[in-house]
Amino acid sequence: MNTGVIGYGYWGPNLVRNFMAQNDCLVTTLADSRPERLTMAQRLYPSLKTTTEPDDIITDDSIEAVVIATPVNTHYPLARAAIERGKNVLIEKPMTMSHTQATELVELAQRKGITLMVDHTFLYTGAVKKMKEIISSDGLGDVLYYDSTRINLGLFQHDVNVLWDLAPHDIAILLYLIDERPNSVQAVGVTHTGNDIENIAYLTLYYPSGIIAHCSCSWSSPVKVRTTYIGGTKKMIVYNDLEGTEKVKVYDTGFEVKSDEDKRKILIDYRTGDIYTPKVDNREALSAMAEDFIRAAAGKGEPVSNWKIGYDVVNILESAQISIKSNGSKITLLNGLGGRS
């Protein structure tokens, strides 16, 4: 499948490298507005055609798939133009700046009968796939909570706040792991740069069943932390993405609530058991993502990071932004591709 890549900034080189390595894919053309970035790419891939104009890729009838790795405010116009030309599209996360834009892309892609996918790379990591396996096999029991800390020093973005930058990872993971969609969100955040773009923010998701998910995001931390805790009625998981080999640990730990009717009080029975470290697949996640996109574009099944997850991530982020600007008000999420329920 002849493929063009638009954008060779922070993430673009990783995408080009992984798509170049796919057996059923040939990256023919790269577009970037900076000639020096194109020169850098050609040193690595001499056969690669380069251009400073994205339209050269979008209007090239020999190109069947377009990979977009540009700032989020450009995702919608570039993706729409490519889809209108009948090309399969992969977009760096998040899909768009609003649910309205996401809805238009999804509906257009469905009319054209082509694949629209978002690069939520974490869904292809061995650690997240292992957690999905554990949860799906009832290894945790009923999921009770998801608590994530995703903080570091920088990189400060100029067009989106810290939630739009970091929270898509956790939101996509949640949508993948838990077979239930949240129905409302709350978020608070602050900016320390004077540009109304929050560099510290806290997002809470509420589920109909009572599950609660919380994500702490910051560009202002002295250390980098990527740690998630998932609690269930049977066991609990600690997921540390910065660990080299033991990213996932399963704790046979929990509690049981009892009541003493005579004393009219709640009694908590705690349980502490073994810690299990499962083996996880160490294949590069981006390679698996690229393979999944090419397979889906060839009509061989729905991708793991499908348009539904991409749309829901944008829906949640947009609602979180409304909540932040409303002093932390609880916001009801959109119901599918329709209006707010």
Side-chain angles (χ1 to χ4, degrees), residues 33 83 91 93 101 107 110 124 178 208 224 231 265 329:
S33 61
I83 294 170
I91 311 175
K93 61 82 184 169
Q101 293 177 344
E107 292 178 344
Q110 290 177 336
Y124 298 89
I178 299 175
K224 183 175 182 177
K265 63 189 295 186
S329 299

Side-chain angles (χ1 to χ4, degrees), residues 24-318:
D24 298 325
C25 174
L26 176 63
V27 179
T28 63
T29 312
L30 171 67
D32 196 284
S33 61
R34 297 158 297 181
E36 66 274 15
R37 298 295 296 176
L38 298 176
T39 300
M40 183 185 303
Q42 280 193 311
R43 290 196 189 103
L44 295 172
Y45 312 103
S47 64
L48 192 62
K49 292 190 294 185
T50 60
T51 176
T52 57
E53 297 296 331
D55 279 350
D56 291 342
I57 289 177
I58 292 171
T59 59
D60 187 340
D61 291 335
S62 69
I63 293 177
E64 304 162 85
V66 176
V67 178
I68 299 171
T70 57
V72 63
N73 63 306
T74 67
H75 289 182
Y76 170 75
L78 290 173
R80 183 177 183 86
I83 294 170
E84 285 176 339
R85 300 282 299 198
K87 301 183 188 301
N88 300 284
V89 172
L90 172 72
I91 311 175
E92 186 181 6
K93 61 82 184 169
M95 182 191 293
T96 60
M97 291 287 289
S98 72
H99 83 274
T100 301
Q101 293 177 344
T103 299
E104 290 183 17
L105 293 186
V106 168
E107 292 178 344
L108 180 59
Q110 290 177 336
R111 288 198 301 271
K112 292 287 187 177
I114 54 92
T115 294
L116 171 63
M117 177 173 154
V118 183
D119 176 17
H120 290 298
T121 311
F122 273 92
L123 305 190
Y124 298 89
T125 61
V128 172
K129 289 191 292 185
K130 178 58 67 174
M131 291 192 295
K132 174 69 171 178
E133 178 185 317
I134 293 169
I135 293 172
S136 297
S137 64
D138 199 35
L140 296 189
D142 295 330
V143 175
L144 301 174
Y145 68 84
Y146 178 104
D147 192 355
S148 172
T149 301
R150 192 173 294 274
I151 60 177
N152 50 261
L153 187 60
L155 299 164
F156 281 70
Q157 305 295 321
H158 69 277
D159 56 345
V160 294
N161 70 14
V162 69
L163 285 184
W164 283 85
D165 181 38
L166 298 181
H169 299 308
D170 286 298
I171 297 170
I173 291 170
L174 275 163
L175 293 167
Y176 176 62
L177 293 182
I178 299 175
D179 191 21
E180 181 182 4
R181 292 296 179 266
N183 55 6
S184 61
V185 305
Q186 278 182 297
V188 294
V190 294
T191 177
H192 298 112
T193 54
N195 61 357
D196 204 34
I197 296 177
E198 293 79 15
N199 53 285
I200 299 176
Y202 305 95
L203 169 66
T204 305
L205 306 176
Y206 300 93
Y207 289 74
S209 67
I211 296 172
I212 188 169
H214 185 260
C215 304
S216 301
C217 298
S218 174
W219 292 325
S220 307
S221 168
V223 295
K224 183 175 182 177
V225 179
R226 297 287 186 270
T227 304
T228 300
Y229 305 92
I230 306 175
T233 53
K234 294 180 180 178
K235 297 181 181 180
M236 301 180 180
I237 286 177
V238 175
Y239 164 42
N240 186 348
D241 188 54
L242 301 185
E243 278 281 352
T245 57
E246 298 182 348
K247 291 182 181 294
V248 177
K249 293 182 179 179
V250 182
Y251 288 71
D252 187 8
T253 301
F255 61 89
E256 184 178 352
V257 179
K258 299 180 180 180
S259 62
D260 188 330
E261 295 295 338
D262 294 336
K263 297 181 179 179
R264 297 177 179 274
K265 63 189 295 186
I266 297 297
L267 302 176
I268 305 296
D269 184 18
Y270 298 97
R271 185 188 76 259
T272 302
D274 295 333
I275 303 172
Y276 168 57
T277 304
K279 183 179 179 181
V280 300
D281 181 11
N282 61 5
R283 179 187 178 185
E284 184 177 0
L286 202 53
S287 174
M289 186 282 302
E291 181 181 287
D292 198 28
F293 173 66
I294 295 300
R295 182 170 56 244
K300 298 179 181 178
E302 185 177 20
V304 171
S305 184
N306 54 51
W307 68 262
K308 300 180 187 72
I309 289 178
Y311 172 84
D312 281 343
V313 168
V314 172
N315 177 13
I316 291 169
L317 289 171
E318 185 178 53

